[in-house]
Amino acid sequence: MGLAEFIIANQEAILAEFDAFARTQTPASTSMSTAALRDHAAQVLIAIAIDIRQRQSPWQESEKSKGHAPDVAGATPTAAQTHGDMRAIVGFDINQTLAEYRALRASVIRMWLESKPQLGSAGAADLVRFNEAIDQAVAESIHQFTASTAREATRP
């Protein structure tokens, strides 16, 4: 099973680990429900799985690996952007928000490897694409997080 298919098939188990980790990010997480802790994590996972499945030209692959993923003007915010915004609003700090993505990356890779996938060149390619997609989600989330905290800092 490829990594994208694994993520879709095991989304609930991945999200359970995600919210268990997010709950440790106190004090902000103390009064949050499971739904609030997971907020947009499911959509982030789906976006990552879709990204892994999409074909890329060598140029697109190179650009994305350098952090130059396409930015569509006027597009609705991504799940990662919304996640960053919501974490800033509920009182997470930037390190806690980053830690969620580190934990998500580690959980997905560990769980996938425990499922004993066929790791040939396709598996290696999936891991590269997954890491690129996580890095893109981190960049989007943190950009939105810092924009949100900057807005809050300038409010009277």
Side-chain angles (χ1 to χ4, degrees), residues 50-65 69-70 125 128-129 132-133:
I50 290 169
D51 187 73
I52 292 169
R53 287 179 175 162
Q54 286 181 339
R55 296 190 48 78
Q56 292 183 139
S57 70
W59 180 82
Q60 290 169 315
E61 187 176 318
S62 174
E63 286 300 295
K64 189 171 175 196
S65 72
V128 169
R129 295 290 303 276
E132 289 173 350

Side-chain angles (χ1 to χ4, degrees), residues 11 14 37 57 70 83 97 115 133:
Q11 185 176 12
I14 294 165
L37 285 169
S57 70
H83 182 78
T97 304
S115 76

Side-chain angles (χ1 to χ4, degrees), residues 19-30:
D19 66 55
F21 179 80
R23 182 137 335 264
T24 69
Q25 303 305 294
T26 59
S29 66
T30 305

Side-chain angles (χ1 to χ4, degrees), residues 4-48:
E5 293 74 24
F6 177 85
I7 289 169
I8 300 301
N10 293 279
Q11 185 176 12
E12 185 54 38
I14 294 165
L15 290 172
E17 286 200 17
F18 179 85
D19 66 55
F21 179 80
R23 182 137 335 264
T24 69
Q25 303 305 294
T26 59
S29 66
T30 305
S31 62
M32 294 175 73
S33 67
T34 297
L37 285 169
R38 288 184 182 190
D39 68 3
H40 294 84
Q43 292 90 339
V44 168
L45 283 172
I46 298 283
I48 288 169

Side-chain angles (χ1 to χ4, degrees), residues 117-132:
Q118 299 277 332
L119 284 180
S121 61
D126 279 0
L127 279 174
V128 169
R129 295 290 303 276
F130 172 73
N131 281 298
E132 289 173 350

Side-chain angles (χ1 to χ4, degrees), residues 80-98 101 137-155:
Q81 289 169 322
T82 304
H83 182 78
D85 198 34
M86 298 312 300
R87 286 307 194 241
I89 289 168
V90 300
F92 274 55
D93 66 34
I94 197 163
N95 291 321
Q96 291 171 318
T97 304
L98 280 169
Y101 283 98
V138 167
E140 292 172 3
S141 191
I142 296 308
H143 176 63
Q144 195 63 36
F145 181 97
T146 56
S148 182
T149 55
R151 277 192 310 274
E152 287 300 314
T154 61
R155 285 196 179 155

